[in-house]
Structure formats: C-alpha cells, structure tokens
Amino acid sequence: MPRASASRLAVLGSPINHSLSPAIHRAAYEKLGLAWTYVAAEVESGGLSTWMNSLDDEWRGLSLTMPLKREILPQLAARHPLVDVVGAANTVLMTQNGLAGFNTDVFGIVAALRAAGVIRVGSAHIFGAGATAASALAALNQLGARVVTVEARTVENGLPLIGIGRRLGIEVVVVALAHESQIAGDVDLVVSATPGAALVNPRVETAVRKRAVLFDVAYSPWPSPLARDWLAVGGRVVSGVEMLFHQAVGQVRVFLTGDPDLVLDDEAAVLGAMRAAIP
C-alpha cells in the first residue's frame, strides 16, 4: 500500500522538458481534492540509482519514461505481473516494503485504441523495439492479435520481442527497418513506438495507410511525419497523447490505491480534467 502521508511525485527521464505529465497529473489530483505535488526531473541513463537514493519519506511515487523503464527493474522489491511480461516498468510506488513497480503503458494503449473504436486486432506491424514496443505487444495481445511484425533498426534489437510474443501466444516476426516499409496489405493496425528523437518515417504504401489504423506514440511535435502521411490520404490516426492520458489514469490508481485495476470514483471526471489541462 502507498505511504499514507506521502504526497510528492515526479516524472523522470531524458529528455523531459517536453513532458505533459506534470500538467496532466496536477489536474487529476486537484480534481480529486488532493494536495499532492508532481514535478518533472531530468534523469539520464545511469543516473537513476543516485537520484533514487536522495528521496525521503515524503515521496509517494514516480512516473518513468525513456530511458529508465528498464533501468529501474533491479531496484524493485515487488513487481506487477505485467512488468515481468514486458520487462519494463513506467510506474514506481514507494511502500513500507520497498519499491513496487507497475506497467500502465499497456492499459494506456488498450484504452486509447478502444476509445478510438479499435476493439479487435488480427495482425499488426510495430516500428521500434524498445520498452514501449514491448508494452504495445502486450496490448495487442489483449486486443486479440496473433501475428505481429516488428520493424527494428537492426534485427538483433528486435529479438527480445520474439520471446515476449512467445509468452503471450503471439507469432512475432522481426525485420530490419527499411526506407520503404514492407507492411502486409491486410494488416489491421500499425504502431509507431519510436518516440521523440527516435522518430522514423518510412514510406508506407497508400493502400495500407487508407486501410490500417495508425497508432503513433509520439505527441510532440504533432502530427508526426508518419501521422501526416496517414492523414494526407484520409487514414485513421490515434495520437500518443491519448495513450498518455489513459496510462496516467492507471498511474493515479496506483498512487492512490496501490492497485492499477481499481477504478477511481468518478474516473471519467478525472480523465476530463486531464484533457482540459492540455491546450
């Protein structure tokens, strides 16, 4: 369970200055009547342990973004099952028994897609092979996907996703990223899981862009080059900001109750306050 009196929260990562999380979380806690603080802190790879050692009992929890979602794993005393499935945690709760890790990215992706009318996915194509791609794979499993192609910068980068897919019952095929992507014409969903500076913009056939839904985890700048290509032919696009809202709801659940599956009282109003906080 969370520390009863602790009220300090933060999002950590690098780069972090573009993060919308402080505004989103502050709006949620204001709506819930909680006098909690939530800030952003620049923490680069290799600096997480030092930063964590500086925390006192006033800290309640942390949101983690690139490149820390895997770096936190050795410090966790407890893990939600999804953390072990995807090998990444984006949420840390301080408890009396140590650090507890959770993954709300999977929930965020599923909720964002369902809200956009994507209820079931047969086959999918993922650009990227990092922690977000792993969460996307678990989300696709919940939406029924059984065949997923992963297009990574190198085949070696994507090999761990084959093991994750095997545990989930998904056939994962890994190919090297090409300038002109070879996406199957019957694919239902294309996921770009390469946020920030790692954005890719492969050439995708017009027929695919018209047929398949694009879910792009990027939200700054928006639209991304890939999203612009999709929109130019009238294709359907789901923005990463939708994932951000929903995964933040999951984090609020964790920070408030310790349970990512326990729905908040009037959760729709909390989500509405989050949306209103972003111009």
Side-chain angles (χ1 to χ4, degrees):
M1 289 297 293
R3 296 169 177 168
S5 60
S7 60
R8 298 185 67 183
L9 300 155
V11 57
L12 313 182
S14 181
I16 203 66
N17 59 352
H18 71 287
S19 178
L20 301 178
S21 291
I24 289 172
H25 276 264
R26 288 167 187 163
Y29 304 132
E30 181 178 355
K31 186 67 177 178
L32 291 167
L34 298 169
W36 292 357
T37 62
Y38 189 105
V39 299
E42 183 82 14
V43 179
E44 298 179 350
S45 180
L48 183 59
S49 293
T50 299
W51 204 92
M52 297 290 290
N53 289 337
S54 70
L55 304 183
D56 57 26
D57 289 344
E58 294 181 5
W59 284 89
R60 189 177 194 90
L62 302 169
S63 306
L64 301 178
T65 185
M66 293 178 61
L68 308 176
K69 294 180 183 181
R70 289 172 173 161
E71 191 169 323
I72 189 63
L73 298 182
Q75 300 187 47
L76 299 177
R79 303 181 184 188
H80 186 271
L82 266 180
V83 173
D84 287 324
V85 170
V86 304
N90 74 319
T91 310
V92 174
L93 182 68
M94 281 70 169
T95 76
Q96 297 299 328
N97 298 316
L99 304 179
F102 301 84
N103 184 302
T104 69
D105 283 339
V106 176
F107 168 76
I109 294 169
V110 172
L113 288 172
R114 285 177 173 164
V118 181
I119 307 302
R120 188 161 185 83
V121 174
S123 62
H125 191 105
I126 299 176
F127 291 112
T132 304
S135 293
L137 193 59
L140 290 170
N141 175 63
Q142 293 187 20
L143 293 169
R146 288 295 171 263
V147 179
V148 176
T149 299
V150 173
E151 197 164 343
R153 294 193 181 277
T154 67
V155 171
E156 290 73 19
N157 288 348
L159 293 181
L161 293 180
I162 295 177
I164 294 174
R166 189 177 297 115
R167 292 194 293 274
L168 293 168
I170 297 176
E171 179 186 351
V172 175
V173 178
V174 179
V175 298
L177 183 66
H179 177 65
E180 187 158 348
S181 183
Q182 300 299 313
I183 300 179
D186 60 350
V187 71
D188 300 312
L189 180 71
V190 175
V191 178
S192 177
T194 55
L199 283 175
V200 297
N201 187 31
R203 187 177 295 118
V204 179
E205 291 183 2
T206 300
V208 173
R209 287 180 280 149
K210 286 184 174 181
R211 180 187 184 281
V213 176
L214 171 67
F215 171 60
D216 193 336
V217 303
Y219 61 84
S220 178
W222 185 260
S224 67
L226 195 60
R228 281 200 302 271
D229 286 349
W230 238 260
L231 293 169
V233 297
R236 294 174 60 199
V237 177
V238 182
S239 166
V241 76
E242 292 300 316
M243 169 191 171
L244 185 67
F245 288 134
H246 288 286
Q247 67 83 24
V249 169
Q251 291 186 330
V252 174
R253 291 178 181 180
V254 169
F255 296 148
L256 190 62
T257 71
D259 186 346
D261 300 316
L262 187 59
V263 177
L264 303 169
D265 293 338
D266 204 6
E267 189 162 280
V270 173
L271 183 58
M274 290 178 169
R275 291 186 186 282
I278 304 302

